[in-house]
Amino acid sequence: GPDACQSNNLAFFLIGVLEEFLSCRPGFLFCIENPSSAKDVHMFTLPCWRAFILKHGLHLTEVTYCTFKLKVRKPTYILTNSKEIARALKPHYCGANGGNHREPHKDCAGHDPKKRIRRAGTSDESGQRDGDTAELPEALAALVASVASRA
């Protein structure tokens, strides 16, 4: 449909911008966030992204927001060209309540397995926005910035 076409066009545009930066700016670091889904279908499974990831040897890491002290599990993928950033993010995955294992992550803030995670910017039946799922956790951004500043 039209949404898929627009998403594909945006993916091609973003890949083109990244290609330009990677060729013109040695040492350019980037991270791109994309929510994962129960069906393991996400932006980075598109053929154009798979080719880009393989061409540049990029790192795809799945993290969960609860390991950054939010009360929702929300799994999301981070694509980066930094091995150090990927390595720092790798421990931040909680497999509880639907993940690969039943034990919460040691840093898990706790989450309600029945809490429905909505897409960013959407609201529940009462019109209340769920800020936990709408914004990247500050602790996640701080971790990425800290590792990037040492690169």
Side-chain angles (χ1 to χ4, degrees):
D3 286 345
C5 185
Q6 184 178 6
S7 294
N8 286 340
N9 289 340
L10 185 58
F12 287 123
F13 174 77
L14 182 53
I15 289 169
V17 169
L18 289 170
E19 287 283 10
E20 188 69 26
F21 271 93
L22 290 170
S23 67
C24 296
R25 297 181 171 228
F28 169 74
L29 292 178
F30 70 86
C31 292
I32 301 172
E33 180 269 349
N34 185 245
S36 53
S37 72
K39 296 177 184 168
D40 203 30
V41 175
H42 51 86
M43 178 171 76
F44 303 122
T45 61
L46 292 172
C48 59
W49 278 107
R50 297 299 319 149
F52 180 70
I53 290 167
L54 290 172
K55 176 181 177 182
H56 293 285
L58 304 179
H59 309 277
L60 186 62
T61 306
E62 189 174 22
V63 300
T64 49
Y65 282 11
C66 59
T67 65
F68 293 99
K69 307 300 183 213
L70 293 185
K71 294 286 185 189
V72 291
R73 183 172 172 270
K74 191 184 179 193
T76 192
Y77 286 102
I78 307 290
L79 178 68
T80 182
N81 62 337
S82 167
K83 186 186 307 184
E84 294 78 18
I85 290 173
R87 189 177 304 130
L89 292 174
K90 192 162 182 69
H92 289 276
Y93 179 81
C94 178
N97 302 325
N100 295 330
H101 61 292
R102 296 288 173 214
E103 293 299 315
H105 183 274
K106 67 180 175 62
D107 295 325
C108 181
H111 39 82
D112 181 352
K114 295 178 184 155
K115 182 171 183 173
R116 196 174 126 234
I117 299 173
R118 293 182 296 279
R119 298 185 102 191
T122 63
S123 52
D124 64 14
E125 296 75 27
S126 69
Q128 187 69 29
R129 250 184 89 152
D130 187 345
D132 285 346
T133 62
E135 297 178 12
L136 195 71
E138 285 184 34
L140 171 53
L143 176 63
V144 169
S146 171
V147 175
S149 70
R150 295 189 302 257

